[in-house]
Amino acid sequence: ATFFPEISSVDPKTRQKVGLALKTLCRLAGILNKKHPHKIGIIEVVGGSLVEGIWPGISNSGAGDETEYVASVLDEREGIDRVVEVLCAVADEAIKADVRLAIELEPGPLYIIRNLKTLELFCERISNEKLLSDCVGLNLDIAHWQLAGMKPRDIPESIRERIIHCHACDAFKGHCIDLPAGSSNGRRLLADWLDLLPPGYVTCELEGCPNETWLATAFENLTAVGLT
C-alpha cells in the first residue's frame, strides 16, 4: 500500500519522484517474487490530491489570526491526466515485475478519485491508454466506497471490470478507524460488495483496530459470506 497524494503535483519533478518511488516498489516486488512462494501481485496507489497550493487566510473573528487557509484546487480532469501520466511512466516496470497497480478511491472533496463520477472518468481515461490496460485497475475499498455514497447496485460494468483488489471493511464515520467487515451494514451488504470482485485475494483491512476480537469478527463474517 502506498500514499502519494503528490502523484498529481503541479511540479513535474515531484511527479517524477512519485513515479520513481513506484518503479522502485515494482522492482522490489519482482525481486521478492523470485525468492518467496507467496507472490506480491498488487501495489495500491491512492488517486491523488486536488490541492495545488495552500496559503494562510484571515480568521472570521477579525482578530487577524491566521487560522484559516485558502487552497488552489485542480480541475479533476487535469488531475486525472497527471495521475495517468505517472502511471504510464511506471507501467513498464510493473509489467516486468508482473504486478498490477490498484488505484484507491479516497472519499472527501479534495481527492481526485473520490466518488462514482470520478471513478468513471478515470476508467474512461485509462481505457484509452493501451499501456495501462493490463497493469492498472481499481482497489474496491468497501468502507471508502460506502462513505462516498456508493452502493453495489450503482456500479456500472465499466468500473466493475477494472476491480482487481478489495479492502474488506465497513464504514465507520470516525477518524482512521474501520469496523470489522459485515458488522456495520450486515453480511448481506458485505456479500453484495464482494460479488463485484473477480477471483483473487482480498485484504481484511481494519485501520485503528483496538483488539483481536475485531479481527475474529471480520474473519467470521467474511467466511460466512463465502470467502475462504
Side-chain angles (χ1 to χ4, degrees):
T2 68
F3 185 74
F4 296 122
E6 302 88 353
I7 194 172
S8 55
S9 171
V10 66
D11 180 12
K13 290 183 178 180
T14 299
R15 297 200 300 274
Q16 289 174 3
K17 289 179 181 179
V18 173
L20 179 59
L22 290 172
K23 287 180 182 181
T24 301
L25 288 174
C26 290
R27 292 172 190 145
L28 178 60
I31 293 169
L32 293 174
N33 284 344
K34 292 177 181 178
K35 297 182 177 182
H36 299 283
H38 185 80
K39 304 298 183 184
I40 298 170
I42 298 289
I43 295 174
E44 298 166 13
V45 182
V46 169
S49 171
L50 286 171
V51 177
E52 286 195 299
I54 299 176
W55 298 269
I58 301 298
S59 169
N60 286 333
S61 68
D65 298 328
E66 294 183 343
T67 56
E68 295 186 355
Y69 294 85
V70 177
S72 173
V73 178
L74 267 174
D75 172 77
E76 59 194 21
R77 289 183 181 271
E78 183 179 356
I80 288 172
D81 284 345
R82 292 182 187 178
V83 172
V84 169
E85 171 195 300
V86 175
L87 295 176
C88 285
V90 176
D92 284 341
E93 288 292 346
I95 293 169
K96 190 185 304 181
D98 195 24
V99 298
R100 291 188 289 175
L101 306 172
I103 308 304
E104 182 171 341
L105 175 150
E106 287 282 349
L110 296 180
Y111 286 101
I112 293 173
I113 301 174
R114 62 190 184 278
N115 54 27
L116 183 61
K117 174 191 171 186
T118 50
L119 271 180
E120 289 181 301
L121 288 174
F122 177 74
C123 289
E124 178 185 346
R125 182 69 177 78
I126 62 174
S127 69
N128 296 321
E129 296 288 345
K130 186 175 181 181
L131 188 62
L132 302 182
S133 60
D134 294 328
C135 67
V136 174
L138 301 175
N139 175 46
L140 163 55
D141 187 304
I142 294 174
H144 288 182
W145 287 30
Q146 288 178 168
L147 286 170
M150 298 159 62
K151 299 177 181 178
R153 65 175 179 268
D154 297 334
I155 310 304
E157 184 61 28
S158 62
I159 290 178
R160 292 183 59 151
E161 67 185 11
R162 293 287 181 185
I163 296 172
I164 58 175
H165 189 56
C166 173
H167 285 170
C169 49
D170 270 17
F172 183 76
K173 294 187 177 180
H175 180 64
C176 293
I177 190 168
D178 297 312
L179 287 179
S183 62
S184 175
N185 297 288
R187 290 176 177 174
R188 180 62 263 166
L189 184 56
L190 175 64
D192 288 345
W193 279 115
L194 295 174
D195 281 346
L196 300 179
L197 299 177
Y201 292 102
V202 304
T203 299
C204 181
E205 185 177 56
L206 275 173
E207 292 183 3
C209 179
N211 57 63
E212 66 275 8
T213 61
W214 282 33
L215 286 173
T217 299
F219 283 119
E220 179 182 339
N221 288 335
L222 289 168
T223 301
V225 297
L227 291 190
T228 57

